[in-house]
Amino acid sequence: MKGPFLALVAFGIFATHDVFIKILGGVYSPIQILFFSVLFSFPLAALFLLRDQTEGTLIPRHPYWMAARTIAAVITGFSAFYAFSVLPLAQTYAIIFAAPLLITILAIPILGEKVRIRRWLAVLVGLVGVIIVLRPGAVPLELGHLAALAAAVCGAFASIVVRKIGREERSVVIMLYPMMANFFVMGALLPLVYEPMPIEHIGFIALIAVFAWVAGRFLIAAYTVGEAATVAPMQYSQILWASAYGFLFFDESPSQNTIVGAAIIIASGLYIVLRESRSSDTSTTPVLRTRSRAETGTTLRIAPFLWPKSKDK
């Protein structure tokens, strides 16, 4: 049980990280929050990147896949930060939780995986859950909903690309490119939206970077000592944190549609994890082997540090 416990701690810290994003999002543009989050993350990222002892340069071996992943990560970061800023926390999580369903779909054209009828049914049921959360036609869809969907889609794409090229690329290349892209893209846009920040808000952004780094360390430890099949489902605990934080700090209460839709999405995701955990072929377990939250280009992915100890072949 040590692995799942460490994962619960990690995702609890990640949820706290998202609370600070929501607080700052009520004052500043996601562009500004992203830029300074990356800026504060660089010193912490260096501690990870120094562990990369593999030979090579910073030129990717798969430049087109790396470019596509980097663009997807930048879109995910902006979309997720915006969604957390304008939507209730629980609703944002419910939509982003569709990412494992999308990873299952994207694994077909990108990884050449064959998805059988039961997992297809799980994906379709999960997407019904997304529709229940969004309630198209009953309530107007806002930019926040579209942003959360974009974060789920682009995050799933970035994750599956890592699964495809990760073993052939250096860890430093995989992780540094999205961070650098966010730094330059958001830095170029920053003059358009910049608002002066008091010292306490600068401290909040520093905490965001620290929380992400600490949570990543706990997640690495969780996957090191535990099986992916028991660690991966712990990500869904974030919706409990989101509901509690939303009620305590933002006067939010999940709607009935959000609760029902989230339950369906989570059940579908858990079923997919269960099916993958029973497979003896690790090439058909893309959700289990993703091993991280959605790629936002602000923090480091943990998967490259686990591959040397992975059972993947």
Side-chain angles (χ1 to χ4, degrees):
M1 296 298 295
K2 188 176 181 181
F5 174 76
L6 291 172
L8 283 172
V9 174
F11 288 115
I13 297 172
F14 274 130
T16 309
H17 161 286
D18 297 333
V19 168
F20 282 96
I21 292 174
K22 185 171 183 63
I23 292 172
L24 292 171
V27 183
Y28 307 103
S29 165
I31 293 171
Q32 184 167 342
I33 303 172
L34 269 170
F35 175 79
F36 284 103
S37 296
V38 173
L39 185 64
F40 280 107
S41 294
F42 274 128
L44 298 172
L47 298 177
F48 277 106
L49 300 180
L50 288 174
R51 295 178 55 186
D52 186 3
Q53 302 296 322
T54 56
E55 297 181 357
T57 68
L58 294 180
I59 300 175
R61 297 178 181 176
H62 301 275
Y64 296 112
W65 280 118
M66 187 62 66
R69 188 184 104 79
T70 299
I71 293 170
V74 171
I75 295 173
T76 302
F78 178 84
S79 300
F81 276 44
Y82 180 77
F84 279 121
S85 299
V86 299
L87 293 180
L89 286 170
Q91 191 174 81
T92 304
Y93 275 119
I95 298 171
I96 292 178
F97 281 164
L101 311 177
L102 300 171
I103 288 173
T104 302
I105 296 173
L106 292 173
I108 299 172
I110 296 177
L111 300 181
E113 182 183 349
K114 294 181 179 179
V115 176
R116 300 189 184 280
I117 185 65
R118 291 184 179 180
R119 270 200 281 175
W120 268 120
L121 289 175
V123 169
L124 292 175
V125 170
L127 295 179
V128 169
V130 175
I131 294 174
I132 292 174
V133 173
L134 293 176
R135 299 169 62 194
V139 295
L141 291 180
E142 302 175 355
L143 284 177
H145 298 109
L146 297 178
L149 283 172
V153 173
C154 293
F157 177 78
S159 296
I160 209 74
V161 171
V162 170
R163 178 73 179 133
K164 181 176 181 64
I165 67 173
R167 285 192 167 276
E168 299 176 25
E169 295 283 2
R170 296 181 65 199
S171 299
V172 62
V173 173
I174 291 175
M175 293 179 287
L176 195 58
Y177 272 63
M179 294 185 71
M180 292 298 296
N182 257 332
F183 181 78
F184 287 114
V185 172
M186 300 305 159
L189 297 174
L190 185 61
L192 302 177
V193 298
Y194 180 76
E195 294 288 342
M197 303 179 71
I199 188 65
E200 60 268 24
H201 287 177
I202 295 175
F204 284 175
I205 291 185
L207 280 175
I208 289 173
V210 171
F211 282 146
W213 186 82
V214 173
R217 294 295 298 176
F218 270 101
L219 206 50
I220 288 174
Y223 275 111
T224 300
V225 302
E227 291 295 326
T230 60
V231 173
M234 297 304 106
Q235 65 175 306
Y236 296 118
S237 66
Q238 291 174 106
I239 202 162
L240 300 177
W241 287 101
S243 299
Y245 281 143
F247 177 77
L248 290 174
F249 299 122
F250 306 108
D251 195 27
E252 298 174 354
S253 296
S255 66
Q256 182 177 359
N257 290 77
T258 299
I259 294 172
V260 173
I264 293 173
I265 295 167
I266 291 171
S268 301
L270 289 175
Y271 180 80
I272 289 172
V273 168
L274 178 64
R275 293 292 300 176
E276 289 191 0
S277 68
R278 293 178 176 177
S279 174
S280 59
D281 183 0
T282 57
S283 67
T284 62
T285 56
V287 174
L288 282 177
R289 303 300 166 179
T290 301
R291 291 177 166 174
S292 190
R293 297 217 312 171
E295 176 73 89
T296 62
T298 58
T299 57
L300 300 178
R301 291 192 63 84
I302 67 166
F305 296 106
L306 296 169
W307 282 329
K309 297 181 181 180
S310 172
K311 297 178 182 178
D312 296 352
K313 300 295 182 184

Short mmCIF file of all heavy atoms in Angstrom, two decimals, residues 8 11-12 14-15 18 84 88-97 133 233-247 252 254-255 257-266 293:
data_model
loop_
_atom_site.label_atom_id
_atom_site.label_comp_id
_atom_site.label_asym_id
_atom_site.label_seq_id
_atom_site.Cartn_x
_atom_site.Cartn_y
_atom_site.Cartn_z
N LEU A 8 -1.39 9.25 -3.29
CA LEU A 8 -2.43 10.09 -2.70
C LEU A 8 -1.84 11.41 -2.18
O LEU A 8 -2.43 12.48 -2.36
CB LEU A 8 -3.13 9.35 -1.56
CG LEU A 8 -4.16 8.28 -1.96
CD1 LEU A 8 -4.62 7.51 -0.73
CD2 LEU A 8 -5.34 8.92 -2.67
N PHE A 11 -0.97 13.63 -5.29
CA PHE A 11 -2.12 14.26 -5.94
C PHE A 11 -2.82 15.25 -5.02
O PHE A 11 -3.45 16.20 -5.49
CB PHE A 11 -3.07 13.20 -6.47
CG PHE A 11 -2.54 12.48 -7.67
CD1 PHE A 11 -2.26 11.12 -7.63
CD2 PHE A 11 -2.29 13.16 -8.85
CE1 PHE A 11 -1.75 10.46 -8.73
CE2 PHE A 11 -1.78 12.52 -9.96
CZ PHE A 11 -1.50 11.16 -9.90
N GLY A 12 -2.71 15.05 -3.71
CA GLY A 12 -3.20 16.06 -2.79
C GLY A 12 -2.40 17.35 -2.91
O GLY A 12 -2.96 18.46 -2.88
N PHE A 14 -0.73 18.25 -5.64
CA PHE A 14 -1.10 18.80 -6.95
C PHE A 14 -2.40 19.58 -6.86
O PHE A 14 -2.55 20.65 -7.48
CB PHE A 14 -1.23 17.68 -7.98
CG PHE A 14 0.05 17.30 -8.66
CD1 PHE A 14 0.44 15.97 -8.73
CD2 PHE A 14 0.86 18.26 -9.24
CE1 PHE A 14 1.62 15.61 -9.37
CE2 PHE A 14 2.04 17.91 -9.88
CZ PHE A 14 2.43 16.58 -9.94
N ALA A 15 -3.38 19.07 -6.11
CA ALA A 15 -4.65 19.76 -5.98
C ALA A 15 -4.47 21.10 -5.27
O ALA A 15 -5.09 22.11 -5.63
CB ALA A 15 -5.65 18.89 -5.21
N ASP A 18 -3.20 23.56 -7.65
CA ASP A 18 -4.24 24.11 -8.53
C ASP A 18 -5.08 25.17 -7.83
O ASP A 18 -5.62 26.07 -8.48
CB ASP A 18 -5.12 22.98 -9.05
CG ASP A 18 -4.34 21.98 -9.90
OD1 ASP A 18 -3.33 22.39 -10.49
OD2 ASP A 18 -4.74 20.80 -9.94
N PHE A 84 -8.97 26.39 -14.70
CA PHE A 84 -8.95 26.45 -13.24
C PHE A 84 -9.34 27.83 -12.74
O PHE A 84 -9.91 27.98 -11.66
CB PHE A 84 -7.58 26.06 -12.70
CG PHE A 84 -7.34 24.58 -12.63
CD1 PHE A 84 -6.29 24.00 -13.31
CD2 PHE A 84 -8.17 23.77 -11.88
CE1 PHE A 84 -6.06 22.64 -13.25
CE2 PHE A 84 -7.95 22.40 -11.82
CZ PHE A 84 -6.90 21.83 -12.50
N PRO A 88 -15.51 26.05 -11.67
CA PRO A 88 -15.36 25.37 -10.37
C PRO A 88 -14.30 24.28 -10.46
O PRO A 88 -14.18 23.59 -11.48
CB PRO A 88 -16.76 24.78 -10.13
CG PRO A 88 -17.68 25.64 -10.92
CD PRO A 88 -16.91 26.04 -12.14
N LEU A 89 -13.54 24.11 -9.39
CA LEU A 89 -12.44 23.14 -9.42
C LEU A 89 -12.92 21.73 -9.77
O LEU A 89 -12.31 21.06 -10.61
CB LEU A 89 -11.74 23.13 -8.06
CG LEU A 89 -10.85 24.32 -7.72
CD1 LEU A 89 -10.42 24.27 -6.26
CD2 LEU A 89 -9.62 24.34 -8.63
N ALA A 90 -13.98 21.28 -9.14
CA ALA A 90 -14.46 19.92 -9.38
C ALA A 90 -14.89 19.72 -10.82
O ALA A 90 -14.65 18.67 -11.42
CB ALA A 90 -15.62 19.59 -8.43
N GLN A 91 -15.52 20.72 -11.41
CA GLN A 91 -15.95 20.61 -12.80
C GLN A 91 -14.74 20.56 -13.74
O GLN A 91 -14.74 19.79 -14.71
CB GLN A 91 -16.84 21.79 -13.16
CG GLN A 91 -17.55 21.64 -14.49
CD GLN A 91 -18.53 22.76 -14.74
OE1 GLN A 91 -18.15 23.85 -15.15
NE2 GLN A 91 -19.81 22.51 -14.48
N THR A 92 -13.74 21.35 -13.45
CA THR A 92 -12.52 21.32 -14.27
C THR A 92 -11.87 19.95 -14.24
O THR A 92 -11.50 19.38 -15.27
CB THR A 92 -11.52 22.39 -13.79
OG1 THR A 92 -12.16 23.67 -13.80
CG2 THR A 92 -10.31 22.43 -14.69
N TYR A 93 -11.74 19.39 -13.03
CA TYR A 93 -11.14 18.06 -12.91
C TYR A 93 -11.96 17.01 -13.65
O TYR A 93 -11.42 16.12 -14.31
CB TYR A 93 -11.02 17.66 -11.44
CG TYR A 93 -9.78 18.17 -10.76
CD1 TYR A 93 -9.86 19.02 -9.68
CD2 TYR A 93 -8.51 17.80 -11.20
CE1 TYR A 93 -8.72 19.49 -9.04
CE2 TYR A 93 -7.37 18.26 -10.59
CZ TYR A 93 -7.48 19.11 -9.50
OH TYR A 93 -6.35 19.57 -8.88
N ALA A 94 -13.29 17.10 -13.52
CA ALA A 94 -14.15 16.11 -14.16
C ALA A 94 -13.90 16.06 -15.67
O ALA A 94 -13.84 14.98 -16.27
CB ALA A 94 -15.62 16.42 -13.88
N ILE A 95 -13.74 17.23 -16.28
CA ILE A 95 -13.50 17.27 -17.73
C ILE A 95 -12.10 16.79 -18.07
O ILE A 95 -11.90 15.99 -19.00
CB ILE A 95 -13.73 18.70 -18.26
CG1 ILE A 95 -15.19 19.12 -18.03
CG2 ILE A 95 -13.39 18.78 -19.75
CD1 ILE A 95 -15.45 20.59 -18.32
N ILE A 96 -11.11 17.24 -17.30
CA ILE A 96 -9.72 16.84 -17.58
C ILE A 96 -9.53 15.34 -17.35
O ILE A 96 -8.66 14.72 -17.98
CB ILE A 96 -8.75 17.67 -16.73
CG1 ILE A 96 -8.78 19.14 -17.19
CG2 ILE A 96 -7.33 17.12 -16.80
CD1 ILE A 96 -7.89 20.07 -16.38
N PHE A 97 -10.34 14.74 -16.48
CA PHE A 97 -10.25 13.30 -16.24
C PHE A 97 -10.60 12.48 -17.48
O PHE A 97 -10.43 11.25 -17.48
CB PHE A 97 -11.16 12.89 -15.09
CG PHE A 97 -10.59 13.19 -13.73
CD1 PHE A 97 -11.42 13.19 -12.62
CD2 PHE A 97 -9.25 13.47 -13.55
CE1 PHE A 97 -10.92 13.46 -11.36
CE2 PHE A 97 -8.73 13.74 -12.29
CZ PHE A 97 -9.57 13.74 -11.19
N VAL A 133 -21.49 16.31 -17.75
CA VAL A 133 -20.86 17.42 -17.03
C VAL A 133 -21.08 18.73 -17.79
O VAL A 133 -21.42 19.76 -17.20
CB VAL A 133 -19.35 17.17 -16.83
CG1 VAL A 133 -18.68 18.41 -16.24
CG2 VAL A 133 -19.14 15.98 -15.91
N PRO A 233 -4.78 4.89 -10.45
CA PRO A 233 -6.13 5.33 -10.09
C PRO A 233 -6.17 6.41 -9.01
O PRO A 233 -7.21 7.06 -8.83
CB PRO A 233 -6.79 4.04 -9.57
CG PRO A 233 -6.03 2.93 -10.22
CD PRO A 233 -4.63 3.43 -10.28
N MET A 234 -5.06 6.60 -8.29
CA MET A 234 -5.07 7.59 -7.22
C MET A 234 -5.25 9.01 -7.73
O MET A 234 -5.59 9.92 -6.97
CB MET A 234 -3.77 7.49 -6.41
CG MET A 234 -3.56 6.17 -5.68
SD MET A 234 -4.91 5.73 -4.55
CE MET A 234 -5.72 4.42 -5.45
N GLN A 235 -5.03 9.22 -9.05
CA GLN A 235 -5.19 10.57 -9.59
C GLN A 235 -6.63 11.07 -9.41
O GLN A 235 -6.87 12.27 -9.30
CB GLN A 235 -4.83 10.60 -11.07
CG GLN A 235 -5.76 9.78 -11.95
CD GLN A 235 -5.44 9.92 -13.42
OE1 GLN A 235 -5.39 11.04 -13.93
NE2 GLN A 235 -5.20 8.80 -14.10
N TYR A 236 -7.59 10.14 -9.36
CA TYR A 236 -8.98 10.55 -9.24
C TYR A 236 -9.30 11.11 -7.86
O TYR A 236 -10.36 11.70 -7.66
CB TYR A 236 -9.90 9.38 -9.57
CG TYR A 236 -9.76 8.91 -11.00
CD1 TYR A 236 -9.33 7.63 -11.31
CD2 TYR A 236 -10.03 9.78 -12.06
CE1 TYR A 236 -9.20 7.21 -12.63
CE2 TYR A 236 -9.89 9.38 -13.38
CZ TYR A 236 -9.47 8.09 -13.65
OH TYR A 236 -9.33 7.69 -14.96
N SER A 237 -8.41 10.91 -6.90
CA SER A 237 -8.62 11.49 -5.57
C SER A 237 -8.61 13.01 -5.62
O SER A 237 -9.11 13.67 -4.70
CB SER A 237 -7.55 11.00 -4.59
OG SER A 237 -6.26 11.49 -4.97
N GLN A 238 -8.06 13.58 -6.70
CA GLN A 238 -7.99 15.04 -6.80
C GLN A 238 -9.38 15.67 -6.79
O GLN A 238 -9.54 16.81 -6.35
CB GLN A 238 -7.26 15.44 -8.09
CG GLN A 238 -5.78 15.11 -8.07
CD GLN A 238 -5.12 15.39 -9.40
OE1 GLN A 238 -4.38 16.35 -9.55
NE2 GLN A 238 -5.37 14.54 -10.37
N ILE A 239 -10.39 14.95 -7.26
CA ILE A 239 -11.72 15.56 -7.29
C ILE A 239 -12.29 15.70 -5.89
O ILE A 239 -13.10 16.60 -5.61
CB ILE A 239 -12.68 14.76 -8.21
CG1 ILE A 239 -13.83 15.66 -8.65
CG2 ILE A 239 -13.19 13.50 -7.52
CD1 ILE A 239 -14.57 15.16 -9.86
N LEU A 240 -11.85 14.85 -4.96
CA LEU A 240 -12.27 15.00 -3.57
C LEU A 240 -11.62 16.25 -2.96
O LEU A 240 -12.28 17.03 -2.26
CB LEU A 240 -11.89 13.75 -2.76
CG LEU A 240 -12.50 12.43 -3.24
CD1 LEU A 240 -11.99 11.27 -2.40
CD2 LEU A 240 -14.03 12.51 -3.17
N TRP A 241 -10.33 16.41 -3.24
CA TRP A 241 -9.65 17.62 -2.80
C TRP A 241 -10.30 18.86 -3.42
O TRP A 241 -10.50 19.88 -2.75
CB TRP A 241 -8.17 17.58 -3.17
CG TRP A 241 -7.35 16.64 -2.36
CD1 TRP A 241 -6.93 15.39 -2.72
CD2 TRP A 241 -6.84 16.86 -1.04
NE1 TRP A 241 -6.19 14.82 -1.72
CE2 TRP A 241 -6.11 15.70 -0.68
CE3 TRP A 241 -6.91 17.93 -0.14
CZ2 TRP A 241 -5.47 15.59 0.55
CZ3 TRP A 241 -6.27 17.81 1.08
CH2 TRP A 241 -5.56 16.66 1.42
N ALA A 242 -10.60 18.75 -4.70
CA ALA A 242 -11.20 19.90 -5.40
C ALA A 242 -12.54 20.28 -4.80
O ALA A 242 -12.85 21.47 -4.64
CB ALA A 242 -11.36 19.57 -6.89
N SER A 243 -13.34 19.29 -4.47
CA SER A 243 -14.64 19.57 -3.87
C SER A 243 -14.48 20.24 -2.51
O SER A 243 -15.19 21.20 -2.18
CB SER A 243 -15.45 18.27 -3.73
OG SER A 243 -15.68 17.68 -5.00
N ALA A 244 -13.53 19.73 -1.71
CA ALA A 244 -13.31 20.30 -0.39
C ALA A 244 -12.75 21.72 -0.49
O ALA A 244 -13.24 22.65 0.18
CB ALA A 244 -12.35 19.41 0.41
N TYR A 245 -11.74 21.90 -1.33
CA TYR A 245 -11.14 23.23 -1.49
C TYR A 245 -12.15 24.21 -2.08
O TYR A 245 -12.19 25.38 -1.68
CB TYR A 245 -9.92 23.14 -2.40
CG TYR A 245 -8.67 22.62 -1.73
CD1 TYR A 245 -7.79 21.78 -2.42
CD2 TYR A 245 -8.35 22.98 -0.43
CE1 TYR A 245 -6.64 21.31 -1.82
CE2 TYR A 245 -7.20 22.50 0.18
CZ TYR A 245 -6.34 21.67 -0.52
OH TYR A 245 -5.20 21.20 0.08
N GLY A 246 -12.92 23.75 -3.05
CA GLY A 246 -13.92 24.63 -3.65
C GLY A 246 -14.93 25.11 -2.64
O GLY A 246 -15.33 26.29 -2.64
N PHE A 247 -15.36 24.21 -1.76
CA PHE A 247 -16.34 24.58 -0.73
C PHE A 247 -15.72 25.52 0.30
O PHE A 247 -16.36 26.51 0.71
CB PHE A 247 -16.85 23.31 -0.04
CG PHE A 247 -17.82 23.58 1.08
CD1 PHE A 247 -19.13 23.92 0.82
CD2 PHE A 247 -17.40 23.50 2.40
CE1 PHE A 247 -20.02 24.18 1.86
CE2 PHE A 247 -18.27 23.76 3.44
CZ PHE A 247 -19.59 24.09 3.17
N GLU A 252 -17.92 26.99 -3.59
CA GLU A 252 -18.37 26.15 -4.70
C GLU A 252 -18.97 24.85 -4.17
O GLU A 252 -18.44 24.26 -3.23
CB GLU A 252 -17.20 25.82 -5.64
CG GLU A 252 -16.56 27.03 -6.31
CD GLU A 252 -15.32 26.63 -7.09
OE1 GLU A 252 -14.89 25.45 -7.02
OE2 GLU A 252 -14.76 27.51 -7.77
N PRO A 254 -20.30 21.19 -5.98
CA PRO A 254 -20.48 20.49 -7.25
C PRO A 254 -21.96 20.27 -7.56
O PRO A 254 -22.73 19.87 -6.69
CB PRO A 254 -19.76 19.15 -7.02
CG PRO A 254 -18.83 19.40 -5.88
CD PRO A 254 -19.49 20.43 -5.02
N SER A 255 -22.35 20.56 -8.79
CA SER A 255 -23.73 20.32 -9.19
C SER A 255 -23.98 18.82 -9.32
O SER A 255 -23.06 18.01 -9.38
CB SER A 255 -24.02 21.01 -10.52
OG SER A 255 -23.26 20.41 -11.56
N ASN A 257 -25.09 17.29 -11.90
CA ASN A 257 -24.56 16.83 -13.17
C ASN A 257 -23.06 16.59 -13.09
O ASN A 257 -22.54 15.61 -13.67
CB ASN A 257 -24.86 17.85 -14.26
CG ASN A 257 -26.33 17.91 -14.61
OD1 ASN A 257 -27.12 18.48 -13.87
ND2 ASN A 257 -26.70 17.30 -15.73
N THR A 258 -22.35 17.47 -12.38
CA THR A 258 -20.90 17.29 -12.23
C THR A 258 -20.59 16.02 -11.46
O THR A 258 -19.70 15.25 -11.83
CB THR A 258 -20.28 18.50 -11.51
OG1 THR A 258 -20.50 19.68 -12.30
CG2 THR A 258 -18.79 18.30 -11.32
N ILE A 259 -21.35 15.76 -10.40
CA ILE A 259 -21.12 14.56 -9.59
C ILE A 259 -21.39 13.31 -10.40
O ILE A 259 -20.57 12.37 -10.42
CB ILE A 259 -22.00 14.59 -8.32
CG1 ILE A 259 -21.58 15.76 -7.41
CG2 ILE A 259 -21.91 13.27 -7.57
CD1 ILE A 259 -22.52 15.98 -6.25
N VAL A 260 -22.53 13.26 -11.08
CA VAL A 260 -22.90 12.07 -11.87
C VAL A 260 -21.91 11.88 -13.03
O VAL A 260 -21.41 10.77 -13.26
CB VAL A 260 -24.34 12.19 -12.40
CG1 VAL A 260 -24.65 11.05 -13.36
CG2 VAL A 260 -25.32 12.20 -11.23
N GLY A 261 -21.64 12.97 -13.76
CA GLY A 261 -20.72 12.86 -14.89
C GLY A 261 -19.33 12.45 -14.46
O GLY A 261 -18.69 11.61 -15.10
N ALA A 262 -18.84 13.05 -13.37
CA ALA A 262 -17.50 12.69 -12.87
C ALA A 262 -17.45 11.23 -12.46
O ALA A 262 -16.46 10.53 -12.71
CB ALA A 262 -17.12 13.59 -11.70
N ALA A 263 -18.51 10.74 -11.81
CA ALA A 263 -18.55 9.34 -11.40
C ALA A 263 -18.45 8.41 -12.61
O ALA A 263 -17.75 7.39 -12.58
CB ALA A 263 -19.82 9.06 -10.60
N ILE A 264 -19.15 8.76 -13.69
CA ILE A 264 -19.11 7.94 -14.90
C ILE A 264 -17.73 7.98 -15.54
O ILE A 264 -17.18 6.94 -15.94
CB ILE A 264 -20.19 8.42 -15.90
CG1 ILE A 264 -21.59 8.17 -15.33
CG2 ILE A 264 -20.03 7.73 -17.25
CD1 ILE A 264 -22.70 8.76 -16.17
N ILE A 265 -17.15 9.17 -15.62
CA ILE A 265 -15.81 9.32 -16.22
C ILE A 265 -14.78 8.53 -15.41
O ILE A 265 -13.94 7.80 -15.97
CB ILE A 265 -15.42 10.80 -16.29
CG1 ILE A 265 -16.35 11.56 -17.24
CG2 ILE A 265 -13.97 10.96 -16.76
CD1 ILE A 265 -16.23 13.06 -17.14
N ILE A 266 -14.84 8.66 -14.09
CA ILE A 266 -13.88 7.96 -13.24
C ILE A 266 -14.06 6.46 -13.34
O ILE A 266 -13.08 5.70 -13.44
CB ILE A 266 -14.02 8.43 -11.78
CG1 ILE A 266 -13.56 9.89 -11.64
CG2 ILE A 266 -13.24 7.54 -10.83
CD1 ILE A 266 -13.86 10.50 -10.29
N ARG A 293 0.52 13.67 -14.53
CA ARG A 293 -0.61 14.53 -14.85
C ARG A 293 -0.44 15.03 -16.28
O ARG A 293 0.57 14.79 -16.94
CB ARG A 293 -0.62 15.73 -13.90
CG ARG A 293 -0.82 15.36 -12.46
CD ARG A 293 -1.68 16.33 -11.71
NE ARG A 293 -1.32 17.72 -11.89
CZ ARG A 293 -2.06 18.73 -11.46
NH1 ARG A 293 -3.17 18.49 -10.83
NH2 ARG A 293 -1.68 19.98 -11.65
#
